[in-house]
């Protein structure tokens, strides 16, 4: 049996389209951290099925934390935080971790956490404050979130780390060239208003693009029929393919053969789909929201468009179609940036160093809190 201690990676793994679950699934697939000190184990916090079963998965997750602590093997619980119900589930797991004597790493992924926090009542805001202040360390996706966490919850800078997401390298494949010479534009993600889907369809219906040899693939779940109907009304349905949700492998295959990825979102953290495009040497058109402008540069590693700017979206697409050299420049810059910042190995090293920092060298010092209480009770009985 391995003498490595356990790090639980807590998040919903079964949700369709969950970037948080994807990044943790990638990490869990490594099985150990790069230093070899810890066993990395997925901890399902919600389940991908009916929301009514969420308490069952949550109770099971608490049970696993308690059991691993009782064996003296619990090191860190890596809590991946989004908005809404995720807050309450992760609060329960955080409490269980602290009671069990483990260390808690709170990893903020939520693109809409500011709006969600502002919409909460006093009790909800106190709960979020308790979570960030009780965690042993916090991880955020960029400086914009680091400043917000520090200012909102009064967290000292040395207790917050910026760690960029990472994705596995794309298996090298020959990019195909369609016989009809079509420019292939790709959107990957849940089809939602905040992702700029309506803006993209409106831009795609512009007169300047109607006459061009271009097709758009919309790969993602959500209200697909709503947007399919919108495409019909705009008269562009025959040039758009709605695939529904696709697997990671299918998305990568689409990415490799796309002439550009487009994500005109209104808010984001640091989208995995953009990192996967960089890894695939696919040019990116996106909005400079969340942590995106911290890591990408307009005209060098992406083309930026303003959220809601349909004319800007149209112009960016046209620019790549009219000048393929721009696309090649952006793709090369993005590929180099991926190798420098966004590999899975870089992400694992950064996160692994935090596990090591949080974990006492003496495993006994992380024993469950109920153990010394029980020993004191036994002493009184003697």
């Amino acid at each position: 049996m391995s003498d490595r201690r356990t790090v639980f990676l807590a998040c919903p793994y079964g949700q369709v389209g969950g970037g948080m679950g994807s990044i943790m699934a990638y990490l869990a697939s490594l099985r150990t951290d790069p230093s070899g000190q810890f066993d990395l184990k997925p901890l399902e916090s919600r389940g991908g099925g009916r929301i009514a079963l969420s308490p069952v998965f949550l109770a099971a997750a608490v049970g696993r934390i308690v059991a691993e602590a009782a064996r003296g093997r619990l090191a860190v619980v890596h809590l991946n935080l989004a908005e809404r119900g995720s807050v309450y589930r992760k609060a329960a797991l955080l409490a269980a971790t602290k009671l069990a004597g483990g260390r808690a790493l709170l990893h903020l992924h939520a693109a809409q956490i500011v709006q969600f926090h502002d919409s909460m009542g006093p009790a909800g805001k106190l709960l979020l404050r308790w979570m960030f202040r009780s965690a042993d360390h916090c991880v955020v996706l960029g400086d914009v979130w680091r400043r917000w966490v520090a200012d909102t919850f009064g967290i000292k800078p040395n207790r917050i780390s910026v760690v960029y997401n990472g994705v596995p390298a794309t298996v090298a494949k020959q990019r195909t060239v369609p016989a009809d010479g079509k420019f292939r534009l790709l959107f990957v993600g849940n089809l939602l208003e905040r992702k700029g889907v309506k803006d993209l369809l409106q831009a795609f219906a512009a007169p300047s693009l109607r006459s061009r040899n271009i097709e758009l693939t919309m790969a993602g779940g959500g209200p697909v029929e709503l947007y399919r109907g919108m495409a019909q009304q705009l008269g562009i349905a025959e040039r758009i393919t709605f695939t529904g949700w696709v697997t990671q492998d299918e998305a990568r295959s689409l990415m490799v053969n796309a002439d550009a990825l487009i994500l005109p979102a209104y808010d984001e953290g640091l989208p995995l789909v953009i990192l996967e495009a960089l890894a695939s040497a696919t040019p990116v058109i996106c909005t400079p929201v969340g942590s995106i402008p911290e890591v990408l540069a307009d005209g060098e590693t992406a083309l930026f468009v303003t959220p809601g700017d349909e004319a800007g979206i149209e112009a960016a697409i046209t620019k790549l179609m009219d000048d393929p050299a721009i696309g090649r420049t952006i793709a090369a810059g993005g590929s180099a940036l991926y190798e420098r910042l966004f590999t899975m190995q870089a992400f694992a090293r950064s996160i692994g160093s935090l596990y090591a920092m949080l974990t006492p060298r003496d495993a006994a010092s992380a024993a469950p809190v109920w153990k010394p209480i029980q020993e004191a009770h036994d002493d009184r009985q003697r």
Side-chain angles (χ1 to χ4, degrees):
M1 185 177 72
S2 169
D3 60 356
R4 291 187 291 264
R5 296 174 65 200
T6 297
V7 172
F8 280 126
L9 310 177
C11 71
Y13 289 86
Q15 286 185 299
V16 172
M20 184 168 62
S22 296
I23 188 69
M24 287 299 108
Y26 287 146
L27 187 59
S29 70
L30 301 178
R31 305 181 73 87
T32 64
D33 70 299
S35 72
Q37 296 183 63
F38 306 102
D39 285 324
L40 307 181
K41 299 181 180 181
L43 187 70
E44 177 60 68
S45 60
R46 180 190 184 276
R50 297 177 182 175
I51 189 66
L53 295 177
S54 179
V56 176
F57 285 97
L58 183 61
V62 169
R64 290 187 66 193
I65 291 171
V66 170
E68 205 72 0
R71 295 170 60 202
R73 295 177 60 82
L74 181 65
V76 177
V77 179
H78 184 161
L79 300 163
N80 293 274
L81 181 66
E83 310 95 341
R84 294 177 284 278
S86 177
V87 170
Y88 306 103
R89 290 189 294 272
K90 301 310 162 31
L93 294 180
L94 174 59
T97 300
K98 302 300 285 186
L99 285 172
R103 300 301 179 95
L105 182 67
L106 191 62
H107 193 159
L108 179 63
H109 296 264
Q112 295 183 303
I113 190 65
V114 177
Q115 299 94 314
F116 180 73
H117 174 265
D118 291 346
S119 72
M120 299 179 87
K125 289 179 179 177
L126 280 174
L127 177 64
L128 265 178
R129 184 178 181 85
W130 170 80
M131 291 175 69
F132 279 95
R133 293 177 72 90
S134 297
D136 294 284
H137 201 76
C138 303
V139 173
V140 294
L141 299 179
D143 284 331
V144 62
W145 309 113
R146 179 185 57 77
R147 291 191 296 270
W148 181 79
V149 168
D151 294 344
T152 304
F153 304 114
I155 308 299
K156 294 180 179 179
N158 64 353
R159 293 187 54 235
I160 308 172
S161 293
V162 173
V163 178
Y164 297 132
N165 286 334
V167 295
T170 297
V171 176
K173 294 181 179 178
Q174 184 68 35
R175 191 180 296 268
T176 64
V177 178
D180 57 9
K182 278 186 178 178
F183 186 91
R184 293 166 295 183
L185 187 64
L186 174 66
F187 172 96
V188 179
N190 280 317
L191 274 58
L192 302 169
E193 288 298 288
R194 75 174 188 86
K195 295 283 189 179
V197 174
K198 181 180 178 181
D199 300 329
L200 174 56
L201 294 181
Q202 293 279 8
F204 199 68
S208 66
L209 290 179
R210 284 180 182 271
S211 61
R212 304 298 295 269
N213 191 18
I214 181 174
E215 64 181 12
L216 170 62
T217 298
M218 305 287 287
V224 176
E225 292 307 314
L226 171 67
Y227 292 110
R228 197 192 304 274
M230 186 179 297
Q232 289 279 4
Q233 293 174 357
L234 291 169
I236 54 176
E238 73 282 356
R239 296 191 294 138
I240 301 179
T241 300
F242 291 89
T243 68
W245 195 254
V246 295
T247 67
Q248 290 289 333
D249 287 344
E250 289 169 338
R252 285 294 184 100
S253 180
L254 288 170
M255 196 88 68
V256 165
N257 289 306
D259 292 295
L261 173 82
I262 186 162
L263 184 64
Y266 285 79
D267 52 58
E268 288 288 352
L270 184 58
L272 293 191
V273 65
I274 286 181
L275 306 188
E276 289 167 343
L278 302 183
S280 303
T282 300
V284 173
I285 301 171
C286 64
T287 47
V289 296
S291 297
I292 292 172
E294 293 179 26
V295 296
L296 298 182
D298 188 27
E300 297 177 15
T301 50
L303 287 183
F304 286 166
V305 296
T306 303
D309 183 4
E310 296 170 12
I313 295 171
E314 174 194 351
I317 296 170
T318 301
K319 180 182 289 188
L320 288 185
M321 293 185 70
D322 289 344
D323 192 346
I326 293 176
R328 290 193 293 270
T329 297
I330 290 173
S335 182
L337 183 66
Y338 166 78
E339 293 293 342
R340 190 165 71 250
L341 291 182
F342 302 124
T343 64
M344 196 63 217
Q345 292 78 8
F347 175 76
R349 284 195 300 270
S350 296
I351 289 294
S353 68
L354 294 178
Y355 298 155
M357 179 191 74
L358 291 175
T359 306
R361 292 183 180 275
D362 181 6
S365 65
V369 296
W370 58 77
K371 185 174 180 180
I373 293 174
Q374 182 63 46
E375 289 173 347
H377 173 75
D378 292 343
D379 288 340
R380 287 195 297 269
Q381 297 301 310
R382 292 192 183 103

